[in-house]
Amino acid sequence: MKQHTANFDTKMKLIHGFSNKTRMQILECIKEEEKTVSQIIEETKGNQSNISQHLACLKGCGIIVGRNEGKYMYYSLRNQHIRDLLSMFDVVLEDVENDVACCDRHMD
């Protein structure tokens, strides 16, 4: 079956959403329950501007969703598939952790 370049480009955009330490910290932070920006900032020890930029990226990629309630915005994972994917990263990492830890070719 032939893959179209556009499919790969879209897939790479999705993977890019997971390829940043701060974004992964945010995703782990909201993996089990929705949280406000303030809660995410506190738990990740980030700053408002940086966290907001990463939340916008994750939301723009469709990885997370936001819900307004009063003056607060609550963020959560888009669905169970995203939660499963995050868990699968951990499962795969158990198998390849030593190799990944030694790999210095893909550090940004």
Side-chain angles (χ1 to χ4, degrees), residues 27-35 76-77 83 87:
L27 293 171
E28 288 295 330
C29 177
I30 63 174
K31 187 175 176 181
E32 299 303 325
E33 64 181 345
E34 66 179 6
K35 300 209 171 131
S76 61
L77 300 181
R83 189 171 289 106
S87 295

Side-chain angles (χ1 to χ4, degrees), residues 13-27:
K13 285 181 181 181
L14 173 66
I15 291 169
H16 179 75
F18 296 96
S19 70
N20 176 278
K21 181 179 179 179
T22 300
R23 288 193 293 272
M24 284 300 290
Q25 288 174 316
I26 291 169
L27 293 171

Side-chain angles (χ1 to χ4, degrees), residues 57-72:
C57 174
L58 290 167
K59 191 173 177 188
C61 288
I63 296 171
I64 66 171
V65 293
R67 175 181 71 81
N68 272 321
E69 185 175 301
K71 64 179 183 171
Y72 296 103

Side-chain angles (χ1 to χ4, degrees), residues 64-105:
I64 66 171
V65 293
R67 175 181 71 81
N68 272 321
E69 185 175 301
K71 64 179 183 171
Y72 296 103
M73 175 67 84
Y74 288 85
Y75 289 95
S76 61
L77 300 181
R78 179 184 190 105
N79 56 35
Q80 185 62 42
H81 295 296
I82 301 294
R83 189 171 289 106
D84 293 344
L85 184 56
L86 289 171
S87 295
M88 187 54 65
F89 285 147
D90 293 334
V91 170
V92 172
L93 186 59
E94 285 180 28
D95 289 339
V96 298
E97 187 168 8
N98 288 335
D99 294 328
V100 171
C102 294
C103 180
D104 60 0
R105 295 185 179 267

